[in-house]
Amino acid sequence: MLSRIAESLYWIGRYVERAEDTARILDVHLHRMLQDPWTDEEQACRSLLSVMGLPVSEDGASLPGVVERLGLDLGSTSSVLGALAAARENARGARETVSAEMWECLNTTWLGLARARRRIEEGGVHAFFQWVRERCSVLAGLADATMSRDEGWLFLVLGRSVERVDMTARLLSTHSRAGGSIPSWLTLLRSCGAWETYLRTYRGSLSDRHAAEFLLLDRLFPRSVLAALATAESCLAELEPAGGTTRSGRVGVGTDAQRILGRARTDLAYRSSDELLTDLGTVLARLERTCSQVNDAVSARYFRQTAAVAWQAGAVE
Amino acid sequence: MADLFEDYPLGPGWDEMFGTPGMPRSTYEALHATLRPLAGGELRLRADVLARAFLDQGITFALKGVERPFPLDIVPRIIAAEQWRQVETGVAQRVRALEAFLADVYGEGHALADGIVPRRIIVTSAHFHREAAGIVPPNGVRVHVAGVDLIRDEAGEFRVLEDNVRTPSGVSYVMENRRAMAHVLPEVFTATRVRPVDSYPGMLLQALRAAAPAGVDDPTVVVLTPGVHNSAYFEHALLAREMGVELVEGRDLVCAGNEVSMRTTAGEQRVDVIYRRIDDEFLDPVHFRADSMLGVAGLLNAARAGKVTIANAVGNGVADDKLLYTYVPDLIRYYLGEEPLLPNVETYRLDDPDVRTYVLSRIDELVLKPVDGSGGAGIVIGSQATAEQLEHVRQRIMLDPRGWIAQREVKLSMVPTLIEDRLRPRHVDLRPFAVNDGRQVRVLPGGLTRVALPEGALVVNSSQGGGSKDTWVLPEAGSTEEIWSEPETVSAVPSPRRPDPGPGQSGNQQQQQQQQARSAGRAAAC
């Protein structure tokens, strides 16, 4: 597969996941802020922006400001609209590889972005975020149903999984930064669409410890950090022909990306829950670092493995 | 019931549907009968669905970086079997002659020595590339794909308007138009049998594989595109997808030791045939524009070394030159020993002083075209131009007679076209697509019919705000082979499906649950 196309698919995976997760996070947080009379709106908005990696400007820390910057800013790939537009742009450049149905889904979603503001004015932000979630789900479903499980698929799922680790870690950070009051664990679980599953798993017992455990370590819930790390790892394992670069596959793992991911996963898996909670801040910060390192390692190995040849006029005469 | 064709006027030029008002030609009878009962509003509604589908699927062309849908008119254009036979053989004949001419120009130059075409026309052509001399294509083919623009004149006769043997575009719309029309107007297809057009990617791939360098058994074919901002990017992606080959950009390719490779996740992989959709000037910064970001340095040397095939070949533009066009009938006689099956439009060469004087004296009746313009750019239609425009073009012709030709103004034929919710005659042309695999030249039954949407407009080019029509070629009487594929024999009859109630959800049980709830409710209410 062409490196450029692999890179596009990886980024389609990342951007669509980012759009969906951002929409989920915003939706639940805005909802909580409106309902909770004790929220310090400015403080909550600042915390949300900084966790999502955006600088907080003086006037930005208000509800409309947050919706604008995390929801509607077409110029930033950190916003829902910006991420969806970027996903479509990547698909446009990889149009012969993504299935026609996936392309059409991304394209109609992109055409629908022009109506985003009107949708919010008419139906409120919740209706808009719901639309975004649905579009992302349609895309995931079409990818699932129409893509063959070749390299292209692996890169798409790899991108999605890396982004998911990153976003779930950021989501958990919103909790730890706000000192545990707002947003509550209930909010976080709802953001991930994990509320009902969580209740069934822990029989209704709601505690910090269980909720953190669930979102970080649950092996069966697909949005948990551990599950996403494991998915990413298995994608990389499939991308490497048996054993990779190590001697007949007998020693260690093949690539940097696999090493980084494996270390992060075992670091989580073999910690006790108590330790996790006490160290939550450090654990989350490390996860965010992991994601950016994996991203670099994957790029270096698959997307830019041939040094660019720059043509200089006059070099050959 | 309102008749859709009730107040349809006949315009200037040959009307393809009507010979006399209200009387459709036999080719169009079935279409006419199916469309007539539809009220204009209903047809408009379907046309809107059509437009929406194109937009959703991103079937667009980019103009100045902005993606625009390519408007598809809902009334198809129909070509009868015998007319098509003339088009098909005429186009193939032209392609064969142009192949011979290109081989000659970049080879021994017999036609020039024999005075069939003046040598100065070749050497002054902007598209004659000495760099291409000596590159011998593996199977002798330089024109892998040709798009020959035809019009029908006032008498309904097909004439050649120009040849495109560089990178003719539009075939993707031929395929997409058909797909969309079948969705929106299924009943019209039921009434008329139409020859299918979806064989094109297979035809093209076969020709590209046949052109692979000698000794390559299973060639790797790629489509080379300038990128997403090119006006025909949609087409490049569609062709790559439907041929199942990679769509590459210049930056995906690397040339080393005269071999061309593409950068893949598993390292560099050799490329044998490049169906390029990049102009010559941008193809290889070593030989052409050094500032090109789109091409691949060293590509031309690799082709010269016979390590890679570039399709269409570099330097084909010399056969597209509008001044050369005037010599094509002579070239057909010279190389093939045949009479041209499709006539040219009457054309004047302005480098002859007497002809020039004559043309300048009648400049307000003729059409003036720059010889290397494309996309309808720079064309001046004498009868529609202002005195100022005519004076301007007169001066430009005086300065550079080689740069212009003049043609009789042909009133292109017209086909009913949906404007708002009424049918109106609009001028059309036709671009059939021919593919040469080295053994035969095949012409896709159909082609791109472009329609000039503004009333009276004679320039149908898509970059001039034109639209297109689905083009139907009717099958020869009694021929079935292309229309119907062999039905597959069904060995086992599938067993009929029984309704599956699902676990614990039998209708009975559900009913009981409901009754239970009702009686419980009553009991509680009591």
Side-chain angles (χ1 to χ4, degrees), chain B residues 331-374:
Chain B
L331 294 176
I332 292 174
R333 294 186 193 100
Y334 177 73
Y335 290 114
L336 309 178
E338 298 171 8
E339 273 306 301
L341 298 168
L342 291 167
N344 277 8
V345 174
E346 299 86 332
T347 306
Y348 303 94
R349 298 173 190 145
L350 298 171
D351 48 357
D352 180 328
D354 293 343
V355 176
R356 189 159 66 237
T357 311
Y358 173 77
V359 164
L360 291 179
S361 71
R362 297 183 52 192
I363 198 165
D364 55 341
E365 297 167 23
L366 297 168
V367 178
L368 295 315
K369 292 182 177 178
V371 293
D372 58 356
S374 67

Side-chain angles (χ1 to χ4, degrees), chain B residues 150-161:
Chain B
L150 305 176
I151 54 169
R152 295 183 78 177
D153 64 14
E154 296 82 352
E157 186 175 16
F158 279 107
R159 286 174 182 275
V160 178
L161 199 57

Side-chain angles (χ1 to χ4, degrees), chain B residues 288-459:
Chain B
F288 300 111
R289 288 181 58 154
D291 62 341
S292 170
M293 312 286 283
L294 307 173
V296 189
L299 195 54
L300 215 56
N301 287 347
R304 192 186 306 281
K307 298 291 185 112
V308 72
T309 303
I310 300 174
N312 287 356
V314 173
N316 279 7
V318 67
D320 274 13
D321 188 296
K322 288 193 179 66
L323 189 50
L324 186 96
Y325 155 89
T326 61
Y327 291 93
V328 175
D330 293 336
L331 294 176
I332 292 174
R333 294 186 193 100
Y334 177 73
Y335 290 114
L336 309 178
E338 298 171 8
E339 273 306 301
L341 298 168
L342 291 167
N344 277 8
V345 174
E346 299 86 332
T347 306
Y348 303 94
R349 298 173 190 145
L350 298 171
D351 48 357
D352 180 328
D354 293 343
V355 176
R356 189 159 66 237
T357 311
Y358 173 77
V359 164
L360 291 179
S361 71
R362 297 183 52 192
I363 198 165
D364 55 341
E365 297 167 23
L366 297 168
V367 178
L368 295 315
K369 292 182 177 178
V371 293
D372 58 356
S374 67
I379 291 181
V380 176
I381 298 172
S383 63
Q384 298 179 1
T386 62
E388 200 176 310
Q389 283 169 324
L390 288 178
E391 185 49 36
H392 182 66
V393 73
R394 183 197 304 269
Q395 282 171 11
R396 291 186 61 188
I397 290 172
M398 297 290 279
L399 282 173
D400 176 21
R402 166 68 178 86
W404 293 81
I405 56 166
Q407 286 178 332
R408 174 172 83 80
E409 180 183 321
V410 181
K411 294 283 181 213
L412 315 188
S413 64
M414 313 187 93
V415 177
T417 300
L418 190 66
I419 304 290
E420 315 272 298
D421 56 5
R422 315 212 63 80
L423 290 178
R424 290 287 174 267
R426 288 293 183 266
H427 294 294
V428 296
D429 76 348
L430 175 66
R431 174 179 288 181
F433 291 89
V435 174
N436 186 1
D437 65 6
R439 286 174 299 133
Q440 59 169 336
V441 180
R442 292 159 79 189
V443 182
L444 185 72
L448 183 63
T449 290
R450 291 177 298 184
V451 51
L453 295 176
E455 189 173 359
L458 289 170
V459 178

Side-chain angles (χ1 to χ4, degrees), chain B residues 179-235:
Chain B
R179 234 170 274 181
M181 288 286 287
H183 288 158
V184 178
L185 277 180
E187 66 267 44
V188 182
F189 281 88
T190 331
T192 314
R193 281 172 47 190
V194 185
R195 292 181 63 183
V197 291
D198 50 8
S199 59
Y200 184 80
M203 230 159 85
L204 177 60
L205 183 62
Q206 194 208 337
L208 293 172
R209 289 175 64 94
V216 180
D217 292 335
D218 185 16
T220 301
V221 176
V222 298
V223 177
L224 175 60
T225 174
V228 294
H229 300 296
N230 183 264
S231 61
Y233 176 74
F234 163 73
E235 174 155 310

Side-chain angles (χ1 to χ4, degrees), chain B residues 55-75:
Chain B
L55 203 58
D56 283 350
Q57 289 166 34
I59 301 174
T60 56
F61 74 100
L63 196 57
K64 299 190 179 104
V66 182
E67 287 174 67
R68 301 189 185 188
F70 190 41
L72 166 59
D73 182 65
I74 197 159
V75 184

Side-chain angles (χ1 to χ4, degrees), chain A residues 154-167:
Chain A
L154 292 173
F155 279 111
L156 183 89
V157 175
L158 177 64
R160 178 201 289 166
S161 307
V162 170
E163 186 73 22
R164 194 171 279 180
V165 171
D166 188 54
M167 289 301 270

